[in-house]
Coordinates of all heavy atoms in Angstrom, one line a residue:
M1 N 0.8 -1.2 0.0 CA 0.0 0.0 0.0 C 0.9 1.3 0.0 O 0.6 2.2 -0.7 CB -0.9 0.0 1.2 CG -1.8 1.2 1.3 SD -3.0 1.0 2.6 CE -2.9 2.6 3.3
S2 N 1.9 1.3 0.8 CA 2.7 2.5 0.9 C 3.4 2.7 -0.4 O 3.6 3.9 -0.8 CB 3.8 2.3 2.0 OG 3.2 2.2 3.3
L3 N 3.9 1.7 -1.1 CA 4.6 1.9 -2.3 C 3.7 2.5 -3.4 O 4.0 3.5 -4.0 CB 5.1 0.6 -2.9 CG 5.9 0.6 -4.2 CD1 7.1 1.5 -4.1 CD2 6.3 -0.8 -4.7
V4 N 2.5 1.9 -3.5 CA 1.5 2.4 -4.5 C 1.1 3.9 -4.2 O 1.1 4.8 -5.1 CB 0.3 1.5 -4.7 CG1 -0.8 2.1 -5.6 CG2 0.7 0.1 -5.2
L5 N 0.8 4.1 -2.9 CA 0.4 5.5 -2.5 C 1.5 6.5 -2.7 O 1.3 7.6 -3.2 CB 0.0 5.5 -1.1 CG -0.6 6.8 -0.5 CD1 -1.8 7.2 -1.3 CD2 -0.9 6.6 1.0
S6 N 2.8 6.0 -2.5 CA 3.9 6.9 -2.6 C 4.2 7.2 -4.1 O 4.9 8.2 -4.4 CB 5.1 6.4 -1.9 OG 5.7 5.3 -2.6
I7 N 3.8 6.4 -5.0 CA 3.9 6.6 -6.4 C 2.8 7.6 -6.9 O 3.1 8.5 -7.7 CB 3.9 5.3 -7.2 CG1 5.2 4.5 -6.9 CG2 3.8 5.5 -8.7 CD1 5.2 3.1 -7.4
L8 N 1.6 7.3 -6.5 CA 0.5 8.1 -7.0 C 0.4 9.5 -6.5 O 0.3 10.5 -7.3 CB -0.8 7.4 -6.7 CG -1.1 6.1 -7.4 CD1 -2.3 5.4 -7.0 CD2 -1.1 6.3 -8.9
M9 N 0.5 9.7 -5.2 CA 0.3 11.0 -4.6 C 1.4 12.0 -5.0 O 1.0 13.1 -5.4 CB 0.2 10.9 -3.1 CG -1.1 10.3 -2.6 SD -2.6 11.3 -3.1 CE -2.3 12.8 -2.4
P10 N 2.7 11.7 -4.9 CA 3.7 12.6 -5.4 C 3.6 12.9 -6.9 O 3.9 14.0 -7.3 CB 5.0 12.0 -5.0 CG 4.7 11.0 -4.0 CD 3.3 10.6 -4.2
G11 N 3.1 11.9 -7.6 CA 2.9 12.1 -9.1 C 1.9 13.2 -9.3 O 2.1 14.1 -10.1
V12 N 0.8 13.1 -8.6 CA -0.3 14.1 -8.8 C 0.1 15.5 -8.3 O 0.0 16.5 -9.0 CB -1.6 13.6 -8.1 CG1 -2.6 14.7 -8.1 CG2 -2.1 12.4 -8.8
V13 N 0.7 15.5 -7.1 CA 1.1 16.8 -6.5 C 2.2 17.4 -7.3 O 2.2 18.6 -7.6 CB 1.5 16.6 -5.0 CG1 2.1 17.8 -4.5 CG2 0.3 16.1 -4.2
S14 N 3.2 16.6 -7.8 CA 4.3 17.2 -8.5 C 3.8 17.7 -9.9 O 4.3 18.7 -10.4 CB 5.4 16.3 -8.7 OG 5.1 15.1 -9.4
A15 N 2.8 17.0 -10.5 CA 2.2 17.5 -11.8 C 1.5 18.8 -11.6 O 1.6 19.7 -12.4 CB 1.3 16.4 -12.3
V16 N 0.7 18.9 -10.5 CA 0.0 20.2 -10.3 C 1.0 21.3 -10.0 O 0.9 22.4 -10.6 CB -1.0 20.0 -9.1 CG1 -1.6 21.3 -8.7 CG2 -2.1 19.0 -9.5
A17 N 2.0 21.1 -9.2 CA 2.9 22.1 -8.8 C 3.8 22.5 -10.1 O 4.0 23.7 -10.3 CB 3.9 21.6 -7.7
T18 N 4.2 21.5 -10.9 CA 5.0 21.8 -12.1 C 4.1 22.6 -13.1 O 4.6 23.6 -13.6 CB 5.5 20.5 -12.7 OG1 6.3 19.8 -11.7 CG2 6.4 20.8 -13.9
A19 N 2.9 22.1 -13.3 CA 2.0 22.8 -14.2 C 1.7 24.3 -13.8 O 1.7 25.2 -14.6 CB 0.7 22.1 -14.4
S20 N 1.5 24.5 -12.5 CA 1.2 25.8 -12.0 C 2.4 26.7 -12.1 O 2.3 27.9 -12.2 CB 0.6 25.8 -10.6 OG 1.6 25.4 -9.7
N21 N 3.6 26.1 -12.0 CA 4.9 27.0 -12.1 C 5.3 27.3 -13.5 O 5.8 28.4 -13.8 CB 6.0 26.3 -11.3 CG 5.8 26.5 -9.8 OD1 5.4 27.5 -9.3 ND2 6.1 25.4 -9.0
I22 N 5.3 26.3 -14.4 CA 5.8 26.5 -15.7 C 4.8 26.3 -16.8 O 5.1 26.6 -18.0 CB 7.0 25.5 -16.0 CG1 6.6 24.1 -16.0 CG2 8.1 25.8 -15.0 CD1 7.7 23.1 -16.4
G23 N 3.6 25.9 -16.4 CA 2.5 25.7 -17.4 C 2.7 24.4 -18.2 O 3.7 23.7 -18.1
P24 N 1.6 24.1 -19.0 CA 1.6 22.9 -19.8 C 2.5 23.1 -21.0 O 2.9 24.2 -21.4 CB 0.2 22.7 -20.2 CG -0.4 24.1 -20.2 CD 0.3 24.8 -19.1
G25 N 2.9 22.0 -21.6 CA 3.7 22.1 -22.8 C 5.0 21.2 -22.7 O 5.1 20.4 -21.9
V26 N 5.9 21.5 -23.7 CA 7.1 20.6 -23.8 C 7.9 20.8 -22.5 O 8.5 19.8 -22.0 CB 7.9 21.0 -25.0 CG1 9.2 20.3 -25.0 CG2 7.1 20.8 -26.3
S27 N 8.0 22.0 -21.9 CA 8.8 22.2 -20.7 C 8.2 21.4 -19.6 O 9.0 20.9 -18.7 CB 8.9 23.7 -20.4 OG 7.7 24.3 -20.2
F28 N 6.9 21.3 -19.5 CA 6.2 20.5 -18.5 C 6.6 19.0 -18.6 O 7.0 18.4 -17.6 CB 4.7 20.6 -18.5 CG 4.0 19.7 -17.6 CD1 3.8 20.0 -16.3 CD2 3.5 18.4 -18.1 CE1 3.2 19.1 -15.4 CE2 2.9 17.6 -17.3 CZ 2.7 17.9 -15.9
T29 N 6.6 18.5 -19.8 CA 6.9 17.1 -19.9 C 8.4 16.8 -19.7 O 8.7 15.7 -19.3 CB 6.5 16.5 -21.3 OG1 7.1 17.3 -22.3 CG2 5.0 16.6 -21.5
A30 N 9.2 17.8 -19.8 CA 10.6 17.6 -19.5 C 10.9 17.7 -18.0 O 11.7 17.0 -17.5 CB 11.4 18.6 -20.3
A31 N 10.2 18.6 -17.4 CA 10.5 18.9 -15.9 C 9.7 17.9 -15.0 O 10.2 17.6 -13.9 CB 10.1 20.3 -15.6
W32 N 8.5 17.5 -15.3 CA 7.7 16.7 -14.4 C 8.3 15.4 -13.9 O 8.3 15.1 -12.7 CB 6.3 16.5 -15.0 CG 5.4 15.7 -14.1 CD1 5.2 15.9 -12.8 CD2 4.6 14.6 -14.5 NE1 4.3 15.0 -12.3 CE2 3.9 14.2 -13.3 CE3 4.4 13.9 -15.7 CZ2 3.0 13.1 -13.3 CZ3 3.5 12.9 -15.7 CH2 2.9 12.5 -14.5
P33 N 8.9 14.6 -14.8 CA 9.5 13.3 -14.3 C 10.6 13.6 -13.2 O 10.6 12.8 -12.2 CB 10.1 12.7 -15.5 CG 9.3 13.2 -16.7 CD 9.0 14.6 -16.3
N34 N 11.4 14.6 -13.4 CA 12.4 14.9 -12.3 C 11.7 15.3 -11.0 O 12.2 14.9 -9.9 CB 13.3 16.0 -12.8 CG 14.2 15.5 -14.0 OD1 14.5 14.4 -14.1 ND2 14.5 16.4 -14.8
A35 N 10.7 16.1 -11.1 CA 10.0 16.5 -9.9 C 9.3 15.3 -9.2 O 9.3 15.2 -8.0 CB 8.9 17.6 -10.3
W36 N 8.8 14.4 -10.1 CA 8.1 13.2 -9.5 C 9.1 12.4 -8.8 O 8.8 11.9 -7.7 CB 7.5 12.5 -10.6 CG 6.5 11.4 -10.2 CD1 6.4 10.8 -9.0 CD2 5.6 10.7 -11.0 NE1 5.4 9.9 -8.9 CE2 4.9 9.8 -10.2 CE3 5.2 10.8 -12.3 CZ2 3.9 8.9 -10.7 CZ3 4.2 10.0 -12.8 CH2 3.5 9.1 -12.0
V37 N 10.3 12.1 -9.4 CA 11.3 11.3 -8.7 C 11.7 11.9 -7.4 O 11.9 11.2 -6.4 CB 12.5 11.0 -9.7 CG1 13.6 10.4 -8.9 CG2 12.0 10.1 -10.8
A38 N 12.0 13.2 -7.4 CA 12.4 13.9 -6.2 C 11.3 13.8 -5.1 O 11.6 13.6 -3.9 CB 12.7 15.4 -6.5
S39 N 10.1 14.0 -5.5 CA 9.0 13.8 -4.6 C 8.8 12.4 -4.0 O 8.6 12.2 -2.8 CB 7.6 14.2 -5.2 OG 7.7 15.6 -5.7
W40 N 9.0 11.4 -4.9 CA 8.9 10.1 -4.5 C 10.0 9.7 -3.5 O 9.7 8.9 -2.5 CB 8.9 9.1 -5.7 CG 8.8 7.7 -5.2 CD1 7.6 7.0 -4.9 CD2 9.8 6.7 -5.0 NE1 7.9 5.7 -4.5 CE2 9.2 5.5 -4.6 CE3 11.2 6.8 -5.1 CZ2 10.0 4.4 -4.3 CZ3 11.9 5.7 -4.8 CH2 11.3 4.5 -4.4
M41 N 11.2 10.2 -3.7 CA 12.3 9.9 -2.8 C 12.0 10.4 -1.4 O 12.6 9.9 -0.4 CB 13.6 10.4 -3.4 CG 14.0 9.7 -4.6 SD 15.5 10.5 -5.4 CE 16.7 10.0 -4.2
V42 N 11.2 11.4 -1.2 CA 10.8 11.9 0.1 C 9.6 11.2 0.6 O 9.4 10.8 1.7 CB 10.6 13.4 0.0 CG1 10.0 13.9 1.3 CG2 11.9 14.1 -0.3
A43 N 8.6 10.9 -0.3 CA 7.3 10.4 0.1 C 7.4 9.0 0.5 O 6.7 8.6 1.5 CB 6.3 10.5 -1.1
F44 N 8.1 8.1 -0.1 CA 8.1 6.7 0.2 C 8.7 6.5 1.6 O 8.0 5.8 2.5 CB 8.9 5.9 -0.8 CG 8.8 4.4 -0.5 CD1 7.6 3.7 -0.5 CD2 9.9 3.6 -0.3 CE1 7.5 2.4 -0.2 CE2 9.9 2.3 -0.1 CZ 8.7 1.6 0.0
P45 N 9.8 7.0 2.0 CA 10.3 6.8 3.4 C 9.4 7.4 4.4 O 9.2 6.9 5.5 CB 11.7 7.4 3.4 CG 12.1 7.7 2.0 CD 10.9 7.6 1.2
T46 N 8.8 8.6 4.0 CA 7.9 9.3 5.0 C 6.7 8.4 5.2 O 6.3 8.3 6.4 CB 7.5 10.6 4.4 OG1 8.7 11.4 4.2 CG2 6.6 11.4 5.3
L47 N 6.1 7.8 4.2 CA 5.0 7.0 4.4 C 5.3 5.8 5.2 O 4.5 5.3 6.1 CB 4.4 6.5 3.0 CG 3.5 7.4 2.3 CD1 3.2 7.0 0.9 CD2 2.2 7.5 3.1
L48 N 6.5 5.2 5.1 CA 6.9 4.0 5.9 C 6.9 4.4 7.4 O 6.6 3.6 8.2 CB 8.2 3.5 5.4 CG 8.2 2.8 4.1 CD1 9.7 2.4 3.7 CD2 7.3 1.7 4.0
V49 N 7.3 5.6 7.7 CA 7.4 6.0 9.1 C 6.0 6.5 9.6 O 5.6 6.2 10.7 CB 8.4 7.2 9.2 CG1 8.4 7.8 10.6 CG2 9.8 6.6 8.9
V50 N 5.3 7.3 8.8 CA 4.1 7.9 9.2 C 2.9 7.0 9.2 O 2.0 7.2 10.1 CB 3.9 9.2 8.4 CG1 2.5 9.8 8.7 CG2 5.0 10.2 8.6
L51 N 2.8 6.1 8.3 CA 1.6 5.3 8.2 C 1.2 4.5 9.4 O 0.0 4.5 9.8 CB 1.7 4.3 7.0 CG 0.4 3.7 6.5 CD1 -0.7 4.7 6.2 CD2 0.7 2.7 5.4
P52 N 2.1 3.9 10.1 CA 1.7 3.3 11.4 C 1.1 4.2 12.4 O 0.2 3.9 13.1 CB 3.0 2.6 11.9 CG 3.9 2.5 10.7 CD 3.5 3.6 9.8
L53 N 1.7 5.4 12.5 CA 1.1 6.5 13.4 C -0.3 6.9 13.0 O -1.1 7.1 13.8 CB 2.1 7.7 13.4 CG 3.5 7.4 13.9 CD1 4.4 8.6 13.7 CD2 3.5 7.0 15.3
V54 N -0.5 7.1 11.7 CA -1.8 7.4 11.2 C -2.8 6.4 11.5 O -3.9 6.6 11.9 CB -1.7 7.8 9.7 CG1 -3.1 7.9 9.1 CG2 -0.9 9.0 9.4
R55 N -2.4 5.1 11.3 CA -3.3 4.0 11.6 C -3.7 4.0 13.1 O -4.9 3.8 13.4 CB -2.7 2.7 11.2 CG -2.7 2.4 9.8 CD -2.1 1.1 9.4 NE -2.2 0.8 8.0 CZ -1.3 0.1 7.3 NH1 -0.4 -0.6 8.0 NH2 -1.5 -0.1 6.0
R56 N -2.8 4.3 14.0 CA -3.1 4.4 15.4 C -4.1 5.5 15.7 O -5.0 5.4 16.5 CB -1.9 4.5 16.2 CG -1.1 3.2 16.3 CD 0.1 3.3 17.3 NE 1.1 2.4 16.9 CZ 2.4 2.6 16.8 NH1 2.8 3.8 17.0 NH2 3.2 1.7 16.4
L57 N -3.8 6.7 15.1 CA -4.7 7.8 15.3 C -6.1 7.6 14.8 O -7.0 7.9 15.5 CB -4.1 9.1 14.6 CG -2.8 9.7 15.3 CD1 -2.3 10.8 14.4 CD2 -3.2 10.2 16.7
V58 N -6.2 7.0 13.6 CA -7.5 6.7 13.1 C -8.2 5.7 14.0 O -9.4 5.8 14.2 CB -7.4 6.1 11.6 CG1 -8.7 5.6 11.1 CG2 -6.9 7.2 10.7
A59 N -7.5 4.7 14.5 CA -8.1 3.7 15.4 C -8.7 4.4 16.7 O -9.7 3.9 17.2 CB -7.1 2.6 15.7
I60 N -8.0 5.4 17.1 CA -8.4 6.1 18.3 C -9.7 6.9 18.0 O -10.6 7.0 18.8 CB -7.3 7.0 18.9 CG1 -6.2 6.2 19.4 CG2 -7.8 8.0 19.9 CD1 -4.9 7.0 19.7
V61 N -9.7 7.6 16.9 CA -10.8 8.5 16.5 C -12.0 7.7 16.1 O -13.1 8.1 16.4 CB -10.3 9.5 15.4 CG1 -11.5 10.3 14.9 CG2 -9.2 10.4 15.9
V62 N -11.8 6.7 15.3 CA -12.9 5.9 14.7 C -13.3 4.7 15.7 O -12.4 3.9 16.0 CB -12.6 5.4 13.3 CG1 -13.7 4.5 12.8 CG2 -12.3 6.5 12.4
E63 N -14.5 4.7 16.1 CA -14.9 3.6 17.0 C -15.0 2.3 16.2 O -15.6 2.2 15.1 CB -16.3 3.9 17.6 CG -16.8 2.9 18.6 CD -18.1 3.3 19.2 OE1 -18.5 4.5 19.1 OE2 -18.8 2.4 19.6
Q64 N -14.4 1.3 16.7 CA -14.4 0.0 16.1 C -15.7 -0.8 16.5 O -16.1 -0.7 17.6 CB -13.2 -0.8 16.5 CG -11.8 -0.2 16.1 CD -11.6 -0.1 14.6 OE1 -12.0 -1.0 13.9 NE2 -11.1 1.0 14.2
P65 N -16.3 -1.5 15.5 CA -17.5 -2.3 15.8 C -17.1 -3.4 16.8 O -16.1 -4.0 16.7 CB -18.0 -2.9 14.5 CG -16.8 -2.7 13.6 CD -15.9 -1.6 14.1
H66 N -18.0 -3.7 17.7 CA -17.8 -4.7 18.8 C -18.4 -6.0 18.4 O -19.4 -6.2 17.9 CB -18.3 -4.3 20.1 CG -17.6 -3.1 20.6 ND1 -16.5 -3.2 21.5 CD2 -17.7 -1.7 20.3 CE1 -16.1 -1.9 21.7 NE2 -16.7 -1.1 21.0

């Protein structure tokens, strides 16, 4: 789950950030893969650390059926 999420989310976020900074076009298609890789290199290890904490917080907030 962490791997797939870390691929999709930074891809979308880096695409939006790249498009808003340089606009669509040839420069976007050249810049976006680099932005995606840089984002993924941060996102994947962060997800591995943060996801267990998020699961605990959600378990506290959401009542489990008995």
